[in-house]
Amino acid sequence: MMRTSPDPAFARNSMSTSSPTTAPELGTELTARGIVLGILITLVFTAANVYFGLKAGLTFATSIPAAVISMALLRRAAGNSIGETNIVQTIASSAGTLSSIIFVLPGLVMIGWWSGFPYWMSMTLCALGGVLGVMYSIPLRRALVTNSPLPYPEGVACAEVLKVGHASDSGEGSRQGLLAIIVGSVVSAGFSVVIATQLFAANLAQYFRLPGEQGKTSGATGYDINFSFALLAVGHLVGLWVGIAILVGAAIGWLGGVPFLTQGVDGAAEAVAMFAWSKKVRFIGAGCIAVAAIWTLVKLAKPVVAGLHSAAMSARVRKAGKADTLPRNERDIPIGWVGLITLACMLPIGFMLSSFATSAGLGDQLGLLVVGGVVYVVLMSFFVAAVCGYMAGLIGSSNSPLSGVGILVVIGVSLLLALVVKPLLPASTGQALVAFALFVTAVVFAVATISNDNLQDLKTGQLVDATPWRQQVALIIGVLAGAVIIPPVLDLLNQAYGFAGVPGVDPKTALAAPQAALISALAKGVIQGDLNWNLIAIGAAIGAGCILVDEVLKRSTGGKAHLAPLAVGLGIYLPLNSTLVIVIGAVAGWWFDRRASHKRNPEATRQLGVLMASGLIVGESLLGVVLAAVVVFSGNGAPLALVGESFATAAQWLGGLAFAGIGLGLYAWLLKKQA
């Protein structure tokens, strides 16, 4: 996706579809042990994704790691089949998608409306939005999966992993894949523990003034390299050209925008540079992302409309009483049930909107807010479900511009509230309207993320001859499991670290949550009328320029080179300590893939790189959640610290050298295993 997200892209690492592996016999699909294993993996990966998304603004896809883990654990179990393993990965895939709700929900804490995350309201919001995402994607399956030429890179890659793993009697491939995940997890978790002791520094950063005219205060800039194996792994997954685009965005922000905006501004270089980036430059990134998203929507308008028409025609055939003639692998949850479940979800959504508006002091316009909110959720949710589903098929769910979709959704609801509702209410309700806008956006965003993933899973199921309705039931189970764990993890991380920009939070340990910060700032700016539209316009112009360059590059190189406009926007507004390491990881992944091409089995070697990268993300993220619990229950902000500030310089050298050495060692180990 870019789920931010680039939530990591397996598209670059997808297995070739030129000579697909024949699928083994499907076997039993929905089993008790498969559901339990899928839920357990979902809980673990969801917690990891929540932490990592808040820290870096990125989430990672979980289908392939979940498939490898389930194959390795169930390999010797009686009656294990590819159908059962497919259900496990389908349940677990919701971890990489529903957790993207963190790109909106923390905004309610950032604007001071919530002090924590009310469990039942947060859980219900995630669950209802996720279930709606599944329901909305069901009518699109025939048009966008069965009768579609869309490549679905991640769905194809996951299907190949399943087929190869179950076709091998020895199970060697799944064992090596599981080992790669475990080694990556242990290494990144262990490195994080050493950082927590402060023997290794967490990053290497320096801010300074650029050369300028004598007697004038020159512009400030800097660099910040985070010693994070999880971020390095993200770079490996998104690929070289996305990494280059992110670097271009970072250069626009930190070599262009920040130095220009800090000229003549007195103060410490770090303070003025961070203020310029957080209060101004990131809105340029928002404009770039919005234009990239709109451009994507324009290109997809015709195929999406055609897909919806085809889905409607398929529904007519079912209503004619011919549904029972469909083969097993063409049977979805019946459209009547889809309608009933959708209606059943809308009723509690309306109740939540009513409860939220009443508690916020917006009761004078309660009817307008609830009816308008439900209508906006219904229409905008179906729209983003169709668009995100198509984009997932075209470029992979990890590369889909969900950040851009989120920006468009929050600007849309904020404009409606500002133009229609705000004039009818006292001026003192401005902050309450901002909170209401974020709440509505969170529901729509949950729908978008699940729809974005569901069609990818259904493509995997199609390739292994699975039953669609069973997969749809499995994804609902995964959504509910993820919804249960997300609020307490959010609360734990909020208590331990807090979010950047919130009063009283230590900026050194605060979680950046960049998307939530940006989306909440946009809602506040639109409703309160103080948004600097000039910065958005500058970003839009940059986005338009990137689109032009991207099209020229694609045509002149036959698609081999490109400059993803969304990734450029992400490079502008993601924190610098995220972007630079991702770029390093992208170069490292490119180097590894080139070396892998000389091995006996290049695709298997590349896939091990993907799995190890997934392990690096999971290990560091889970350790972050564990450390958060230690911080909260011990009451000590640095419970594992062994040294003090006097060791900081040595810790930077030790941390940097260890980070580089361990990274090279991991890649060398993988290449040696596939000699």
Side-chain angles (χ1 to χ4, degrees), residues 356-367:
F356 192 94
T358 302
S359 64
L362 302 173
D364 290 347
Q365 297 298 325
L366 185 62

Side-chain angles (χ1 to χ4, degrees), residues 92-148:
S93 69
S94 62
T97 50
L98 187 61
S99 55
S100 295
I101 195 68
I102 61 171
F103 299 149
V104 181
L105 214 52
L108 289 165
V109 174
M110 291 177 166
I111 67 171
W113 195 257
W114 284 354
S115 59
F117 297 90
Y119 181 79
W120 288 108
M121 181 165 283
S122 302
M123 186 273 289
T124 305
L125 185 152
C126 293
L128 291 174
V131 171
L132 274 178
V134 178
M135 293 300 106
Y136 280 0
S137 64
I138 289 173
L140 300 175
R141 187 190 66 83
R142 279 180 173 273
L144 299 184
V145 177
T146 305
N147 303 318
S148 171

